Amino acid sequence: VKINDALCIFPSLSLSEYPEQRSGEDSTAPAITKEYELVSIMMHSGSAHSGHYFCYIKSRVQSDDAARWLLFNDSSVTAVSDEQLSVVLGTAPAAESPATPSSAAAEGSGGAKAAPTIPSANNAYMLVYREVSPVNLRDEGPSECGALAGDERIPRELREAVQRDNALYREQKAKYEYEKAFLHISVSPALLGGEFAKKCAAEVASSVASAEKEGDEKGDVVLAEDDSVLRKKKGSAAANRIIRIHESCTLRQLTDQVYENFVSPPALTPPASASFKSGVSASTGTGTNSALPRLLPSDGVPRCCVRLRAFDSLRGTVLPPSALLPKDIADRLEKDAAAAASSVDALPFDQELLEESTVLSALSDASLKRIMHLEVRAPGSLPFGGGSQQDGGVVFSLETVRYRPRSPREREADEASVFEPATPIQLPSDCTISDMIQRVFASASSAPCEDNSSTQIANMVIAIHDISSGIARQIFPRPITSRIDYDVALSTSLVSSGDRVYVDFSPSAGAARVGLMEYFENLQNAITVYFPDIRGCDEGGSVVVDGEHRMALSVDRRCALSEVKAKMAALLNRSVDSFVLLRMENSQTDTTVEIKNLTMSLSQNGFDDGSFILIRPGVPLAPGEYRVFFLFKSVSSTTAIGDAQDLFVRMGSACVLRGDQTVGEVKEWIRANRPEFLTPHGDNTNIRLQLAQRFTEDADAATAEDGKQPQGEYFKTTFVLDDEKSLRDCLGSQLKDGMHLSVTVGVAESSFSGSSDLFLSLWEWMPDIKQIVFHGDVVFPKTNTFADLKTRIQNMCAPTCSDDKYRLHLDAGDIFFAKPFTWQLKDAAANIPFLKWSSQPAHDGLSITGAPYRLNNAPLAGPALLLFKCCDLTQLVEDGDEAAGKGGGQMAAVPEEVGFRLYSAKEQLVRRAEEEKVDRERKTLIEEKLKALSLSGIHDTSAAR
Amino acid sequence: MIPSNLGAFLANRRKFVDENFTSTEGQGTETVELRCEMFHGTNFIEKSDVGYTGLINQGATCYLNSLLQTLFMIPEFRLALLSSNFENVGDDAHNLSKQLQKLFVELQYSEKGAVSTSALTKSFGWSGRDSFIQQGNNNLHVLLRSPSLSRPDVQECMTVIFDFISMQHPDSELALFLRNEWTGSTQVALTCGNCGASRYRTESFRDLQLQVRGAGDVYGSMDLYFEEEAMDGVDCEACGGRHPHKKQPKVTRLPYILSLQLRRFDMNWATMQRQVQCSLRLINITINTAIVSLISHMHPS
């Protein structure tokens, strides 16, 4: 609890010290008054649990001796105005508008906490005053490094280290400043149009098999493949080139440099980083070489138009140009667009044209993670409308990546999505996607490249982008999840004539890859269908599936589902008639679609490579019946301690429910048929049903491995609480076949009657297996006494105590109250490892031993989780009134002690010996400290230690 | 650079403290490597206009940063630390005093906008962000616990750092400064209501923990702190038997540097959200049975 009372802080204090008195003496010496000035205010903003510290410090560096207050907020140091200061001191009320300290440094530093917004007196946390004295030193501020030499009091090696560090810093900073102004732009010659296209085509032809280049350019789809294999070809003319250009260059300079680079390769190596004196690059091409071809004669007519689009490489989506452009340009474009809307002839393309005098840095507002695509084209060569199509459309396509130091992870992410168009393949516009993929595949594998290219290709997932329409529309998404008819001709539904298609083979994981490999290997329209292994049927006629074991079937995608079904039946050795086929999105989700028409082919039913089919044997459902999966919460995991009943989920079984069945009936069914999921000794009166939306089975493994939150997704939505209502009334439209109901057995929050009840959760520490075993939850009214509580605990734990191996030590125990526990806290609690839970003795003097206190005498605000610690009371009282804190200290030091424990007599002896050894050291320290304290004086203390 | 009048102060301190001053000149020529924190996020942190260097928040170390800057900005403390000769006691990397000194040198001379405290916190025995490992300084691992478990505490941190330096380098300039200029004392008089005899107990303090609630201003807080308190049933040595006593604390020595802690965090007994983490703190629970402030558990010693 944080007390936010306002406290007026004085910038100066006048305090008196009194002469020390001795017993029997009457000292008459006068008190001495000392003057103090405030030098530092440490502030805390936020709550008792989280918050931010910063401080205001007075400094006197100015020559006029006027105090200056500074705000030190992590990496930011800023001056404080008088108004702000008076608010801090509590002499002026907090301003209506937040007196935000300027936080220039905090803005740039990603990790820094937000600057404090409303500093006010009620946040001061610690004050430091300094006596006003003639010997007061004045802070003269930090020093310049050059002045170090004269300062001999500071150890030399430290000074020198800082000097070295400063030098390094200056160097790196200069380098950074220099480098960050450069854009690295990759240019693909393959997409050059017009003269350049021809020139480059010749180069490409010399190095790459050119069988695909036949055909009429005009009506064909130019296909550029982005293939890591091709990228590896060293020295190939088809390879992309990186242009390094300063951001102060204009678009015209950029295009000039592009020409230059492509005509006279390589000359592209960035200048050596040794000489970065000024921030302006000398590498900016000016296009003065007369040998360079020109798109247009240099007659003052704009040489190029630049079209800009932003491609979010992480999400694979195209951003509107306004996301990329500086605001004034974006506004202008928008205005143009509005104006153009009235004109029929206006083409959207033209609205994005940029003038060639635009400076590159003006385009760099884009988020650095995005990849910019710049398309530069000659005004006369526009493929649509104004331009003549003969020129071949897009002149070239550029990709720019702004320089920025990147983490390895980011680099990896970018790597996977780098847009590097390579060799163009021209295809007749009536070729199908199927053909196209084969062509690409064939061309790649026939190319004289390294060994396992076919494997590499096969391991790719295909994405096809239509990059010519101004928007990089993804026409064949990756990974392959949705329906794509391979037989559709390119021209009919996907792209139009003259379009450029970018086929992206990118590595991907999972079934889709396998499926694709299958596809390429067979080249016979095969689709691999996975279906879960069926473990058996339960009495409800539903299957118990094993998500771990999937079975695969490779079939032609034109074959009817009934055939697939028959094949499955053969594989499973079961009768065909008993199967119900369901289509799953993938193995991880349970979104299923029932397949009714078995005569249709796989592709007609939406199956792609690597599709998943869930098959279920059993009776078809009657109307109004639903097949429901129960997810029972298991309590067998020790890592599930934080939230006993809820972390650990196991797919239990399924049954067929009727929509008009009441919730009560379902619960009855669970009690009767699934006793193994009930808590053995807890209070099972309450069963909760909840609709579980998604469910993955990885949860177990993830929980067990690292104790983190389960990786699997598991969204619970609707509570089904009313026993009287039918399922249909409770769940409404959410009730459907294949749904999952999560079942929690035990105590539910509805069992609490107001705040008068305690939620009691019993755990036992089993030293031999080093695990904490759950005994159950009960709701325990607070009107009971501690003695009642003990009895209850003994009863609950009796079964494990029956063999006399364990002895209950509650008599000597104490009760600890841990964090309040409600179901709503579940998620938070799951994040807190159980062993770290804070705990404290119930109350000073409130002992369990024969005390007539009722539980509601204890200061419990609401439902609380009671944890018990059995230990010797004598240990606790040893330090007298310090006992109040002892428990906490001990627990923190020996976390295994938290929780309710039962010891065997022998076990306790062993443990006790261990504890004593640890305690002895600590006690020695404590005793010394106590002794030192009573003697007073800091000298003695430090000496004693 | 250290201003020349600091030298005068140093001389005065020498007069005040009757201790030997060990020169740091000519000590060792070992190489000290500082890590160059080139980027923070994606940008350089520019040095602030006011000329001082900030401290990078490693994550939940803002309380430490506040404390360090406050210490740095007390010229006498800065001087004492920078002038101290912390002769090599084992491994430098685990020597808090040395690391603190190193950090202050950086704050003094660095051209960066902000420097890192990671070497210092590493010397506390924290690894990574703030996790606590049982190695490093054998004393610190008893004293310091990871701040991740509870709200980090400026005052606690200060006490631990001061204690450690006083303990490990009792003769250093800094230890002397702390001992003489940052330590005050109070005397508690316990007066018997029956016979009027008084007993006295003197305690030293490095800071005063003042109550905020109901205080109004700092003077009010001080008044609350030094309020006379009636105690029932205390054994009187003078007249024998149990009698009501009056307990009256007062300051007998005001330190040069006076730090006042405003108690803003109380233990909530229902939720136990403010837990005492450090067992050593238990020693000092003396007053306040109804509400025990977490901070009040700490006594400077």
Side-chain angles (χ1 to χ4, degrees), chain A residues 38-42 55-58 69 126-129, chain B residues 70:
Chain A
L38 184 59
V39 294
S40 167
I41 313 167
M42 280 179 244
C55 60
Y56 293 93
I57 301 175
K58 188 174 179 178
W69 283 84
M126 191 162 162
L127 310 172
V128 178
Y129 285 88
Chain B
T70 295

Side-chain angles (χ1 to χ4, degrees), chain A residues 555-564 567 600-603:
Chain A
V555 288
D556 192 291
R557 68 196 158 83
R558 286 170 294 220
C559 93
L561 272 172
S562 52
E563 292 173 56
V564 179
K567 284 189 180 180
M600 286 168 76
S601 72
L602 277 172
S603 53

Side-chain angles (χ1 to χ4, degrees), chain A residues 304-320:
Chain A
C304 67
C305 302
V306 174
R307 189 167 64 142
L308 199 66
R309 58 192 184 216
F311 181 69
D312 187 335
S313 58
L314 295 181
R315 291 189 187 78
T317 54
V318 176
L319 305 167

Side-chain angles (χ1 to χ4, degrees), chain A residues 260-273:
Chain A
E260 194 174 340
N261 280 316
F262 275 98
V263 172
S264 55
L268 292 171
T269 41
S273 58

